């Protein structure tokens, strides 16, 4: 009878998957930010430049935000006229449309961390 010895490094696996999830979440939020920047109503570029992507590594939560006094109004006002390709809901739509891609980015980084 042949026996094999297996050592389980659970703590290392958990650290690796967490690190991979953080990397994936960071890349995913940056992806959504980029897609949304392509739709932000643009006059002088201030709103577009105010966009940020952040990650809470402990909670594994990501956020994309635009920080100007008029960002919410530009996002919500469906009657505003915008240049071609620029639109209201410039963040909400990419968040929904890119959800599968963000999930794939996170999964890929977690797999990479386990190699």
């Amino acid at each position: 009878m042949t026996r094999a010895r297996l050592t389980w490094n659970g703590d290392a696996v958990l650290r690796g998957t967490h690190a991979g999830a953080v990397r994936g979440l960071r890349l995913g939020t940056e992806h959504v930010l980029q897609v949304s920047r392509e739709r932000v109503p643009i006059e002088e570029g201030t709103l577009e430049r105010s966009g940020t992507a952040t990650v809470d590594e402990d909670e594994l939560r990501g956020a994309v935000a635009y920080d100007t006094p008029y960002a919410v109004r530009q996002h919500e006002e469906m009657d505003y006229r915008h240049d071609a390709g620029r639109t209201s809901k410039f963040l909400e739509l990419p968040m929904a449309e890119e959800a599968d891609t963000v999930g794939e980015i996170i999964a890929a980084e977690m797999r990479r961390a386990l190699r």
Side-chain angles (χ1 to χ4, degrees), residues 77-95:
E77 256 331 305
M78 300 298 288
D79 294 332
Y80 283 0
R81 298 180 75 130
H82 304 292
D83 293 341
R86 305 297 178 147
T87 184
S88 301
K89 304 295 184 180
F90 53 87
L91 182 54
E92 182 177 330
L93 294 174
M95 288 287 290

Side-chain angles (χ1 to χ4, degrees), residues 23-93:
R23 269 193 314 278
L25 191 54
R26 190 169 314 285
L27 292 171
T29 56
E30 290 289 340
H31 173 73
V32 170
L33 176 62
Q34 180 57 40
V35 172
S36 69
R37 278 185 171 156
E38 295 169 3
R39 298 185 186 181
V40 168
I42 193 162
E43 183 80 21
E44 298 172 2
T46 304
L47 180 57
E48 182 181 5
R49 286 189 305 273
S50 78
T52 59
T54 58
V55 172
D56 180 328
E57 294 184 12
D58 295 328
E59 296 293 322
L60 289 178
R61 292 178 191 252
V64 176
Y66 286 86
D67 186 25
T68 65
Y70 50 87
V72 172
R73 185 89 186 250
Q74 282 287 341
H75 189 269
E76 296 301 319
E77 256 331 305
M78 300 298 288
D79 294 332
Y80 283 0
R81 298 180 75 130
H82 304 292
D83 293 341
R86 305 297 178 147
T87 184
S88 301
K89 304 295 184 180
F90 53 87
L91 182 54
E92 182 177 330
L93 294 174

